[in-house]
Amino acid sequence: MISLDLNFNILTRDLSHYLENQVKVGLFGSGVGLSLVLGFSAAYTCYYLISVAKKPQLISGGKTFCQFLKEQCPVVSETYYPTFWCWESRIQTLLRPFVTAKPGVVYRNELIKAADGGQISVDWFDNDDSLSYPDPTTRPTVLLLPGLTGTSRESYILHMVQQSRDLGYRCVVFNNRGVSGETLLTPRTYCAANTEDLETVIDHIQKTYEAAPMMAAGVSMGGMMLANYLGRKGRKTCLKGVIVFSAGWDVFECTASLEKPLDRFLFNSYLTSCLQASVHRHRPVLEKCYDIDHVMKAKTIREFDERFTSIMFGYPTNDDYYRDASPVHKLKSVQVPMLCLNAADDVFSPSHAIPVEAVKQNPHLALLITCHGGHIGFLEGLWPRQSTYMDRVFKQFAKAVIEQGGRLKDLSR
């Protein structure tokens, strides 16, 4: 492998000299095409190794947690090599659902009654064939939270279920109300700021398997909800650890980023239409309380939240909702080990809004920032079908928390 300490100026000079000589020869022979291809490939490889492939930045508020991660999760110290032909942020984000495989998973669905009369759909992967934990009463449980409009069938969720299955763990996927095919019984859906349904599900799992250790992983909005939950609960939770992927830490900055012309075209409009489709499916119960025609005319996520989400959850203004939904304001109250993975080029969660300073002030937090990876992308390898960098981080952290979590009981040191 070419050393990253290579003098780039010398490399550029030699490469230019090589191309110049080869093109001259090729013009009088037949090798100009091959020479150009080889020259471009060499230049691209050098650029990739020097400017694209980099070690992630690990930031933690305490030495104990940081050292634990370095010892138990070697992936946090390894160079991340994004797929060389699609390392750009938007390409990673757009391609991930199409190029990654969807492992076969058979779930057991359960509908949990909520306090307001509604129902919450959760999908269980019991892993009864677990050799490491044959006793279901003590089999570790991993709670998974999908993104904004995601369900248990998202490829990134299926991959985490697969990783958990390999470790012998049980998985439970928390589906937000109204997105996974269940009937909406009350005129209420979900938002990143409200964690009542999540608390109901965690309590239900804990009561079902009281002797089983439990951790959680959240993706995008699911990660935001988890972080907000931990910020509100402090130490009063049964979760042993949490990992969060591609969370939006400041909702104001996230929405502003997604309203830039290109990102509005690629992502914002599509997500808005997905939210509206969910509302349309449950129109009979929702139109009794909300102006659905007005909601269906929204062009952006911000307009959707102004006309629907903020009203549903009783906020005076949409700004009040966005302020409450932003996990950055609650990080100081988190008292459970939480690892957060973000890509610096994620347009959903811009780098200037990643809460580096807040993380440094809390010994229970750690932040892993890659230069590339996009939003829930983190593709790696020549053809990233089976596993991503995100999958590897998840598997190592889950194993560390479940099997070595005793070392994380006192992180205040």
Side-chain angles (χ1 to χ4, degrees), residues 148 191-193 224 228 232 248-256 258-259 268 272 275 300-307 309-310 315-330:
L148 181 63
C191 74
M224 296 167 64
N228 284 328
R232 291 194 175 102
W249 298 104
D250 186 325
V251 182
F252 292 100
E253 297 295 337
C254 296
T255 51
L258 287 174
E259 286 169 355
N268 202 326
T272 303
L275 290 167
T300 64
I301 295 174
R302 187 194 299 270
E303 289 182 0
F304 179 89
D305 288 335
E306 289 173 345
R307 302 175 186 191
T309 314
S310 61
Y315 291 96
T317 68
N318 195 57
D319 283 356
D320 291 309
Y321 163 51
Y322 277 6
R323 193 172 297 108
D324 195 29
S326 299
V328 66
H329 304 302
K330 304 179 185 69

Side-chain angles (χ1 to χ4, degrees), residues 111-123:
L111 296 175
I112 301 173
K113 203 72 174 178
D116 70 331
Q119 59 183 1
I120 309 163
S121 174
V122 296
D123 287 316

Side-chain angles (χ1 to χ4, degrees), residues 176-294:
N176 288 303
R177 290 200 204 187
V179 301
S180 63
E182 80 281 10
T183 302
L184 200 64
L185 300 181
T186 59
R188 168 176 164 168
T189 56
Y190 60 94
C191 74
N194 189 286
T195 61
E196 292 174 358
D197 284 358
L198 177 58
E199 293 177 36
T200 298
V201 169
I202 291 175
D203 289 344
H204 175 73
I205 297 171
Q206 200 274 329
K207 290 176 181 177
T208 304
Y209 295 105
E210 295 182 352
M214 178 165 46
M215 67 157 294
V219 181
S220 190
M221 195 203 76
M224 296 167 64
M225 188 181 292
L226 260 180
N228 284 328
Y229 163 80
L230 290 182
R232 291 194 175 102
K233 300 295 286 187
R235 294 186 182 276
K236 297 178 181 179
T237 177
C238 60
L239 297 179
K240 305 301 181 185
V242 164
I243 186 165
V244 168
F245 300 104
S246 298
W249 298 104
D250 186 325
V251 182
F252 292 100
E253 297 295 337
C254 296
T255 51
S257 179
L258 287 174
E259 286 169 355
K260 294 177 181 178
L262 179 59
D263 298 318
R264 175 170 174 166
F265 171 75
L266 291 175
F267 307 113
N268 202 326
S269 297
Y270 171 74
L271 287 173
T272 303
S273 67
C274 290
L275 290 167
Q276 290 170 324
S278 181
V279 169
H280 180 70
R281 283 196 301 271
H282 303 289
R283 183 166 187 144
V285 68
L286 292 173
E287 63 184 357
K288 300 173 184 178
C289 302
Y290 310 104
D291 186 349
I292 302 303
D293 289 335
H294 190 48

Side-chain angles (χ1 to χ4, degrees), residues 323-353:
R323 193 172 297 108
D324 195 29
S326 299
V328 66
H329 304 302
K330 304 179 185 69
L331 290 179
K332 63 179 179 294
S333 301
V334 173
Q335 299 295 310
V336 171
M338 182 168 75
L339 174 63
C340 314
L341 174 64
N342 280 90
D345 64 353
D346 184 353
V347 298
F348 284 69
S349 184
S351 59
H352 64 269

Side-chain angles (χ1 to χ4, degrees), residues 8 47 80 87 118 125-126 156 161 233 283 349 383 391:
F8 189 69
Y47 174 79
Y80 166 48
W87 50 264
F125 175 73
D126 295 300
Y156 56 81
V161 173
K233 300 295 286 187
R283 183 166 187 144
S349 184
W383 184 245
D391 296 334

